[in-house]
Amino acid sequence: MTTISVRNTPPLESGDRLTRDEFEHRYHAAPDITKAELIEGVVFVASPVRSNRHGRPHALIMAWLSAYWTGTPGVDPQIEPTVRLDEENEPQPDALLRLEPAVGGNSWISEDDYIEGSPELIVEIAASSASYDLNDKLNAYQRNGVQEYIVWQIYENKLDWFILEEGRYVSLVPDEQGILRSQVFPGLWLSVEALRQRNVVEVVAVVQQGLQTTEHQEFVQRLAQFSAE
């Protein structure tokens, strides 16, 4: 008589300390959970998403990134993708923008359809400065070489844009017009005040201005040359 061993899978719960393999196993076994992350070896299961505090700001961020995407071949925007950063970190960021490997990007799509490696830019929408987005998650992104990290704190209506310099995040400073300009993606401009006011028309208009610059045109040419090599 053959004995069959059945593996009982414990539930995935916030606060669990797991390896990445065990995290993925429990996550796959819990189809009712739509968003969970492993950050510094600790599980975070997302709460239900509120409309004005998260859903609409999230849509605005994606409109911004999508406007840049339409004018920049070789970049890839993503909504809440699973990212395998390292053995203790598998976040599911609200949004990201990455360079494709063909043009020198630092991340790739695995055979089982997940992002592996470090995307060039990650965006998180946080409740407040107390969020783990500005603590453990920031440390994980910094350590893994995510070059630009944006956190929009909804309660304070405050935006932080960090750039990686010598292995440490420093704050990007707006210009005299209140516009933040990406260091990795030339032409990716963001009007801080338009974002704070949730003015999608103005946010997209400022990106369109960035797409018309010489810096962006030269960037597109470099990406095309890289891809052709």
Side-chain angles (χ1 to χ4, degrees):
M1 181 177 178
T2 302
T3 301
I4 300 176
S5 176
V6 178
R7 180 180 180 183
N8 293 320
T9 302
L12 188 65
E13 297 181 347
S14 289
D16 289 343
R17 289 190 173 272
L18 303 175
T19 65
R20 196 176 75 184
D21 286 345
E22 182 62 20
F23 167 75
E24 289 189 1
H25 173 73
R26 295 192 191 186
Y27 199 173
H28 292 159
D32 56 314
I33 296 177
T34 58
K35 182 173 181 178
E37 302 178 293
L38 185 70
I39 306 298
E40 303 290 53
V42 179
V43 174
F44 293 85
V45 178
S47 302
V49 174
R50 296 182 183 274
S51 178
N52 289 323
R53 297 178 187 173
H54 195 102
R56 190 167 297 158
H58 196 177
L60 178 53
I61 290 294
M62 291 314 303
W64 172 60
L65 293 178
S66 295
Y68 186 77
W69 177 35
T70 60
T72 316
V75 304
D76 175 33
Q78 297 261 347
I79 304 172
E80 294 189 341
T82 292
V83 181
R84 290 170 172 159
L85 279 179
D86 58 30
E87 291 304 313
E88 291 189 330
N89 290 281
E90 190 168 305
Q92 199 172 334
D94 291 313
L96 62 80
L97 187 67
R98 54 187 286 272
L99 290 171
E100 297 281 8
V103 296
N106 296 318
S107 62
W108 60 95
I109 307 298
S110 66
E111 291 185 0
D112 54 349
D113 204 29
Y114 293 109
I115 293 176
E116 298 199 12
S118 299
E120 281 69 28
L121 183 148
I122 284 178
V123 184
E124 298 282 11
I125 298 167
S128 71
S129 59
S131 168
Y132 71 120
D133 294 306
L134 281 163
N135 294 281
D136 289 345
K137 194 180 286 187
L138 182 148
N139 293 332
Y141 289 156
Q142 178 177 261
R143 188 174 65 251
N144 281 278
V146 174
Q147 296 177 49
E148 298 192 320
Y149 179 39
I150 300 171
V151 183
W152 185 4
Q153 302 162 46
I154 296 302
Y155 280 103
E156 294 94 336
N157 201 13
K158 180 176 182 291
L159 187 85
D160 289 302
W161 188 324
F162 302 101
I163 57 175
L164 196 64
E165 291 187 356
E166 299 181 350
R168 303 290 296 179
Y169 278 142
V170 298
S171 295
L172 188 64
V173 179
D175 65 14
E176 294 177 353
Q177 289 75 44
I179 295 174
L180 290 165
R181 307 183 185 206
S182 171
Q183 305 297 296
V184 176
F185 297 97
L188 182 61
W189 293 5
L190 179 62
S191 168
V192 177
E193 190 58 29
L195 185 81
R196 285 164 49 89
Q197 294 179 1
R198 305 190 186 187
N199 185 338
V200 65
V201 173
E202 181 65 18
V203 167
V204 171
V206 170
V207 178
Q208 296 295 341
Q209 293 175 20
L211 294 177
Q212 301 305 313
T213 60
T214 300
E215 290 80 4
H216 179 261
Q217 294 168 12
E218 292 175 347
F219 180 57
V220 170
Q221 292 174 1
R222 290 198 304 272
L223 294 181
Q225 292 172 356
F226 202 117
S227 181
E229 293 177 354

